[in-house]
Coordinates of all heavy atoms in Angstrom, one line a residue:
V21 N 10.5 -11.5 -19.2 CA 10.7 -10.7 -17.9 C 11.7 -9.6 -18.2 O 12.8 -9.8 -18.8 CB 11.2 -11.5 -16.8 CG1 11.5 -10.7 -15.5 CG2 10.2 -12.6 -16.4
L22 N 11.4 -8.3 -17.8 CA 12.3 -7.2 -17.9 C 12.9 -7.0 -16.6 O 12.3 -6.7 -15.6 CB 11.5 -6.0 -18.4 CG 12.3 -4.7 -18.4 CD1 13.3 -4.7 -19.5 CD2 11.4 -3.4 -18.5
R23 N 14.3 -7.1 -16.5 CA 15.0 -6.7 -15.3 C 15.2 -5.2 -15.4 O 16.0 -4.7 -16.3 CB 16.3 -7.4 -15.2 CG 17.2 -7.0 -14.1 CD 16.6 -7.1 -12.7 NE 16.3 -8.5 -12.3 CZ 17.2 -9.2 -11.6 NH1 18.4 -8.7 -11.2 NH2 16.8 -10.5 -11.3
L24 N 14.6 -4.4 -14.6 CA 14.7 -3.0 -14.5 C 15.5 -2.6 -13.3 O 15.2 -3.0 -12.2 CB 13.3 -2.4 -14.4 CG 13.1 -0.8 -14.4 CD1 13.6 -0.2 -15.7 CD2 11.7 -0.4 -14.0
V25 N 16.5 -1.7 -13.6 CA 17.4 -1.2 -12.5 C 17.3 0.3 -12.5 O 17.5 0.9 -13.5 CB 18.8 -1.7 -12.7 CG1 19.7 -1.3 -11.5 CG2 18.9 -3.2 -12.9
V26 N 17.1 0.8 -11.3 CA 17.1 2.3 -11.1 C 18.1 2.7 -10.1 O 18.4 1.9 -9.1 CB 15.7 2.8 -10.7 CG1 14.6 2.4 -11.7 CG2 15.3 2.3 -9.3
L36 N 16.0 -1.4 3.4 CA 15.2 -2.0 2.3 C 15.6 -3.5 2.1 O 16.7 -3.8 1.7 CB 15.5 -1.2 1.0 CG 14.6 -1.6 -0.2 CD1 13.1 -1.4 0.0 CD2 15.1 -0.8 -1.5
A40 N 10.6 -6.4 -0.7 CA 9.9 -5.2 -0.3 C 9.2 -4.6 -1.6 O 9.6 -4.9 -2.7 CB 10.8 -4.2 0.3
S41 N 8.2 -3.8 -1.4 CA 7.4 -3.2 -2.5 C 7.8 -1.8 -2.6 O 7.8 -1.0 -1.6 CB 5.9 -3.3 -2.2 OG 5.5 -4.7 -2.2
I42 N 8.0 -1.3 -3.8 CA 8.2 0.1 -4.2 C 7.4 0.4 -5.4 O 7.2 -0.4 -6.3 CB 9.7 0.3 -4.5 CG1 10.6 0.1 -3.3 CG2 9.9 1.7 -5.1 CD1 12.1 0.3 -3.5
A43 N 6.8 1.6 -5.3 CA 6.0 2.1 -6.5 C 6.9 2.8 -7.4 O 7.5 3.8 -7.0 CB 4.9 3.0 -6.0
I44 N 7.0 2.3 -8.6 CA 7.8 3.0 -9.7 C 6.8 3.5 -10.7 O 6.1 2.7 -11.3 CB 8.8 2.0 -10.3 CG1 9.8 1.5 -9.3 CG2 9.5 2.6 -11.5 CD1 10.7 2.6 -8.7
L49 N 6.2 -2.7 -7.5 CA 7.2 -3.7 -8.0 C 7.9 -4.3 -6.8 O 8.0 -3.6 -5.7 CB 8.2 -3.0 -8.9 CG 7.7 -2.4 -10.2 CD1 8.8 -1.8 -11.0 CD2 6.9 -3.5 -11.1
T50 N 8.4 -5.5 -6.9 CA 9.0 -6.2 -5.8 C 10.6 -6.1 -6.0 O 11.1 -6.3 -7.1 CB 8.7 -7.7 -5.8 OG1 7.2 -7.8 -5.6 CG2 9.4 -8.4 -4.7
V51 N 11.2 -5.7 -4.9 CA 12.7 -5.6 -5.0 C 13.3 -7.0 -5.0 O 13.0 -7.8 -4.2 CB 13.2 -4.8 -3.7 CG1 14.7 -4.8 -3.6 CG2 12.6 -3.4 -3.6
V52 N 14.2 -7.2 -6.0 CA 14.9 -8.5 -6.1 C 16.4 -8.4 -5.9 O 17.1 -9.4 -5.6 CB 14.7 -9.1 -7.5 CG1 13.2 -9.4 -7.7 CG2 15.2 -8.2 -8.6
Q53 N 16.9 -7.1 -5.8 CA 18.3 -6.9 -5.5 C 18.5 -5.5 -5.1 O 17.9 -4.6 -5.7 CB 19.2 -7.3 -6.7 CG 20.7 -7.2 -6.4 CD 21.5 -7.7 -7.6 OE1 21.0 -8.3 -8.5 NE2 22.8 -7.3 -7.6
V65 N 18.6 -0.3 -7.3 CA 17.5 -1.2 -6.9 C 17.0 -1.9 -8.2 O 16.8 -1.3 -9.2 CB 16.3 -0.5 -6.2 CG1 15.3 -1.5 -5.7 CG2 16.8 0.5 -5.1
H66 N 16.9 -3.3 -8.1 CA 16.6 -4.1 -9.2 C 15.2 -4.7 -9.0 O 14.8 -5.0 -7.9 CB 17.5 -5.3 -9.3 CG 19.0 -5.0 -9.5 ND1 19.7 -5.5 -10.6 CD2 19.8 -4.1 -8.9 CE1 20.9 -5.0 -10.5 NE2 21.0 -4.2 -9.5
F67 N 14.4 -4.7 -10.2 CA 13.1 -5.2 -10.2 C 12.9 -6.1 -11.4 O 13.6 -5.9 -12.4 CB 12.0 -4.1 -10.3 CG 12.2 -3.0 -9.3 CD1 12.9 -1.9 -9.6 CD2 11.6 -3.1 -8.0 CE1 13.0 -0.8 -8.7 CE2 11.7 -2.1 -7.1 CZ 12.4 -1.0 -7.4
D68 N 12.0 -7.1 -11.3 CA 11.6 -8.0 -12.4 C 10.2 -7.6 -12.8 O 9.3 -7.6 -12.0 CB 11.7 -9.5 -12.1 CG 13.2 -10.0 -12.1 OD1 14.0 -9.3 -12.7 OD2 13.4 -11.0 -11.4
V69 N 10.0 -7.2 -14.1 CA 8.7 -6.8 -14.5 C 8.2 -7.7 -15.6 O 8.9 -7.9 -16.6 CB 8.8 -5.3 -15.1 CG1 7.4 -4.8 -15.4 CG2 9.5 -4.4 -14.2
Y90 N 9.3 7.5 -7.4 CA 9.7 6.5 -6.5 C 9.1 6.7 -5.1 O 9.2 7.7 -4.5 CB 11.2 6.5 -6.4 CG 12.0 5.5 -5.5 CD1 12.7 4.5 -6.1 CD2 12.0 5.7 -4.1 CE1 13.4 3.6 -5.2 CE2 12.7 4.8 -3.3 CZ 13.4 3.8 -3.9 OH 14.1 2.9 -3.1

Side-chain angles (χ1 to χ4, degrees):
V21 176
L22 173 70
R23 172 60 65 94
L24 180 67
V25 184
V26 303
L36 183 62
S41 296
I42 294 179
I44 298 296
L49 299 179
T50 300
V51 175
V52 297
Q53 185 177 342
V65 186
H66 298 233
F67 308 94
D68 286 337
V69 188
Y90 180 105

